[in-house]
Amino acid sequence: MDTIPQPRRLTRPDDGSFELGPGTSVVAGEGTEDTERWLRATLGAATGLPLAPGAGGDDAVRLSLDGGLAAEGYRLVVTPAGVDLAGGGPAGLFWGAQTLRQLLGPDAFRRAPLPGRRWRLPLVRIEDAPRFGWRGLMLDVARHFMPKEGVLRYLDLMAAHKLNVLHFHLTDDQGWRVEIKRHPKLTETGSWRSRTKYGHRASPLWEDKPHGGYYTQDDIREIVAYAAERHITVVPEIDVPGHSQAAIAAYPELGNTDVIDTASLTVWDTWGISENVLAPTDTTLRFYEGVFEELLDLFPSAFVHVGGDECPKDQWRRSATAQARIGELGLADEDELQSWFIRHFDTWLTARGRRLIGWDEILEGGLAEGAAVSSWRGYAGGVAAARAGHDVVMCPEQQVYLDHRQHPGEDEPVPIGFVRTLEDVYRFEPVPAELTPDEAGHVLGTQANAWSEVMENQGRVDYQLFPRLAAFAEVAWSELPAPADRDFDDFERRMAAHYRRLDALGVAYRPPGGPLPWQRRPGVLGRPIDGPPPNK
């Protein structure tokens, strides 16, 4: 079978099939209404079949919940009399429906039926459940804005691959993307930059036109609701205390006013790590508490991401205000000052029933008990977090940053970082081998990250993510052997069918033979790194 991700157990009694036709009904048991609605809307559009409600009997797709299955697990049985799909919970049922769609063939991913198409399902029994509870994708919409319709499209693509966490990177030096009503300048000023560096920050090329955009609070509510219908949790990220120049450009009092003229700052138009960071003042804390209050009303996620990475300390070293704060708190240095800043919001979020998560720099100086870590600088941060009793999401830059280049060839557009081929991603192992079983229990799961500095539009995002996101999805879902023992040849065979699904969905993936002419970016400088990435 050509399913991706690979299910845990799949058996075929014979080579027969069950054919969906005009008389095929959908029988929805209690608690299955959401998946019933999705099946009718999605498969009904692709097949042109009515898939009318039914009460039972043969020639039916029968949906039910079975408490004996894992919450995200499902059982799919296709017989000559019809289909029985059971989920351990609503999410498991929905993931089973995704498998059902794959079994119908690539044309089931279209939005309207092709003439003469027949819809046969192979006779099969599948019992399946995910390896990890956190199967994530991080979309950076701060560097290059992705309109709401693009985000909704990516939620559908995530659902098709059984990914269930969207890490939504909403703010950075180059743009602020979420409406905060009590601080309107965050979007009036902070969501637009006057021009954009084209390529790596060393590139001499510029796109000399304004770039920006933001999501209204109603946009966010729609995105969150759309995600929830697909059993995807949206985890927002508001980056503090670094990566904050867009916010300081909107509200200069947030910056280190005793060191630089913050009123002269604009939203940053190039890439890298800005020196302009938040001032460690009560004014800043109260401002961001207001931001997070509005955020908590928009995002029901248990986790809120606060960034906490790449915060240069030079302005704090030169700031009398920052140095006075260090003395007042009895801190050793600026690194401990950053830890104090993060711990403030750790405590604040915990008091409101949420959990802080941040990039692995937040480990420096200690964390509150409930905080979690996104391990991006390799495996080491995740190992340290798990050993200290913190939950961790493994997303090491060297392995699953999908903005990194896919091939060493000169035609790769704006080549960034290490070469990470489809096979490299397929052989990624999220759980560090040195963890004990108890420590490994702190690995919530894994996440692929897509930073958008050199991804200026939907086609570029598609190219960088696919087909590698399909390999990542299998790593996150399936119980695979050790990396060296994984059957990549079989995965490539299944990908042959999956490329046709991606074609039907209109995904501008990187073809196996290399980029198409329009996918190349000749003359646009990147930052390739030679050799294999470190595995630590």
Side-chain angles (χ1 to χ4, degrees):
M1 308 295 287
D2 297 324
T3 52
I4 291 176
Q6 186 178 56
R8 288 193 179 191
R9 286 180 292 278
L10 184 154
T11 55
R12 290 206 64 187
D14 58 50
D15 292 332
S17 63
F18 166 71
E19 184 168 344
L20 277 68
T24 303
S25 63
V26 177
V27 181
E30 184 178 355
T32 69
E33 294 82 6
D34 288 348
T35 295
E36 174 197 20
R37 185 165 53 249
W38 181 87
L39 273 174
R40 284 216 177 87
T42 306
L43 295 188
T47 64
L49 300 174
L51 300 177
D58 292 346
D59 195 13
V61 178
R62 296 172 285 270
L63 308 178
S64 63
L65 299 182
D66 181 347
L69 300 171
E72 287 196 276
Y74 66 90
R75 181 179 58 248
L76 174 62
V77 181
V78 182
T79 69
V83 179
D84 288 286
L85 175 58
L93 188 74
F94 181 72
W95 304 134
Q98 296 294 338
T99 299
L100 175 64
R101 186 189 193 188
Q102 289 197 12
L103 294 178
L104 281 170
D107 288 340
F109 290 79
R110 298 187 180 277
R111 296 185 185 183
L114 299 180
R117 182 72 165 82
R118 299 178 69 179
W119 301 98
R120 293 191 179 97
L121 288 166
L123 303 187
V124 70
R125 180 183 180 92
I126 296 175
E127 296 172 76
D128 199 9
R131 179 185 179 191
F132 293 112
W134 185 302
R135 306 180 302 279
L137 170 65
M138 190 223 69
L139 284 179
D140 167 22
V141 297
R143 273 52 174 270
H144 277 102
F145 179 63
M146 179 180 287
K148 180 188 68 176
E149 292 76 12
V151 178
L152 300 178
R153 173 178 178 266
Y154 258 90
L155 288 167
D156 280 330
L157 290 172
M158 289 176 65
H161 292 83
K162 300 185 174 71
L163 299 174
N164 69 343
V165 177
L166 172 63
H167 174 170
F168 210 16
H169 184 79
L170 289 165
T171 72
D172 218 294
D173 299 308
Q174 296 84 4
W176 185 285
R177 305 293 179 218
V178 56
E179 177 188 27
I180 302 297
K181 291 186 181 295
R182 72 188 71 185
H183 303 308
K185 291 181 183 178
L186 286 172
T187 46
E188 290 171 4
T189 299
S191 70
W192 289 91
R193 58 180 181 262
S194 61
R195 63 176 187 169
T196 299
K197 176 68 73 172
Y198 193 39
H200 182 251
R201 60 180 175 271
S203 168
L205 303 176
W206 294 89
E207 185 177 42
D208 286 307
K209 68 178 183 180
H211 176 86
Y214 66 92
Y215 310 105
T216 67
Q217 292 199 355
D218 281 345
D219 290 339
I220 293 292
R221 292 184 181 98
E222 180 183 357
I223 288 167
V224 168
Y226 195 83
E229 289 176 352
R230 286 147 185 79
H231 302 277
I232 296 170
T233 299
V234 184
V235 176
E237 180 183 353
I238 302 293
D239 215 331
V240 296
H243 287 292
S244 298
Q245 184 166 325
I248 298 168
Y251 291 93
E253 65 271 23
L254 298 175
N256 295 284
T257 57
D258 59 343
V259 174
I260 63 163
D261 177 14
T262 56
S264 68
L265 292 177
T266 59
V267 178
W268 215 24
D269 58 12
T270 189
W271 315 127
I273 303 170
S274 172
E275 293 288 330
N276 297 301
V277 303
L278 298 175
T281 63
D282 290 343
T283 296
T284 300
L285 296 180
R286 299 294 88 77
F287 183 97
Y288 274 87
E289 286 170 2
V291 169
F292 283 117
E293 280 180 6
E294 294 194 24
L295 211 70
L296 298 190
D297 286 339
L298 297 171
F299 295 92
S301 164
F303 287 97
V304 175
H305 207 292
V306 300
D309 62 317
E310 297 179 329
C311 178
K313 308 299 193 299
D314 181 64
Q315 290 184 3
W316 287 354
R317 292 186 188 97
R318 296 187 287 126
S319 165
T321 301
Q323 293 303 311
R325 179 69 91 178
I326 289 173
E328 167 197 331
L329 297 170
L331 304 176
D333 54 22
E334 293 77 19
D335 288 337
E336 287 197 6
L337 184 60
Q338 179 176 347
S339 177
W340 165 81
F341 198 105
I342 295 297
R343 287 177 69 92
H344 173 86
F345 287 103
D346 192 346
T347 303
W348 191 91
L349 288 166
T350 298
R352 288 155 181 79
R354 306 297 182 98
R355 293 181 66 186
L356 179 144
I357 185 169
W359 303 111
D360 54 59
E361 286 96 330
I362 68 172
L363 284 166
E364 299 159 6
L367 282 177
E369 184 176 346
V373 170
S374 301
S375 184
W376 77 275
R377 293 182 295 179
Y379 287 95
V383 171
R387 287 178 173 168
H390 294 289
D391 289 339
V392 60
V393 176
M394 296 302 302
C395 48
E397 173 187 16
Q398 303 87 344
Q399 314 297 329
V400 287
Y401 270 32
L402 299 187
D403 46 304
H404 283 208
R405 58 192 174 133
Q406 305 183 61
H407 190 274
E410 294 184 1
D411 285 339
E412 286 305 304
V414 200
I416 299 295
F418 295 101
V419 173
R420 293 285 84 194
T421 66
L422 182 65
E423 181 171 1
D424 291 331
V425 174
Y426 190 67
R427 297 193 189 280
F428 164 61
E429 172 50 47
V431 179
E434 59 264 45
L435 294 181
T436 67
D438 285 346
E439 292 165 348
H442 284 291
V443 178
L444 298 174
T446 184
Q447 179 174 290
N449 293 345
W451 300 102
S452 67
E453 288 94 334
V454 299
M455 292 188 278
E456 72 278 6
N457 56 37
Q458 175 177 293
R460 283 287 289 125
V461 177
D462 281 3
Y463 181 92
Q464 291 300 133
L465 264 61
F466 288 99
R468 293 181 297 179
L469 193 65
F472 173 81
E474 183 150 311
V475 169
W477 176 278
S478 304
E479 293 281 356
L480 297 177
D485 298 328
R486 293 177 188 172
D487 191 347
F488 181 69
D489 288 343
D490 178 69
F491 178 77
E492 275 198 310
R493 179 193 62 77
R494 288 181 284 124
M495 275 302 302
H498 201 66
Y499 284 121
R500 293 176 57 211
R501 296 178 192 126
L502 297 178
D503 287 333
L505 288 166
V507 177
Y509 58 84
R510 181 190 189 276
L516 300 172
W518 66 268
Q519 293 173 320
R520 299 167 187 161
R521 296 291 187 275
V524 182
L525 187 66
R527 185 183 61 90
I529 303 174
D530 293 329
N535 194 26
K536 61 182 180 179

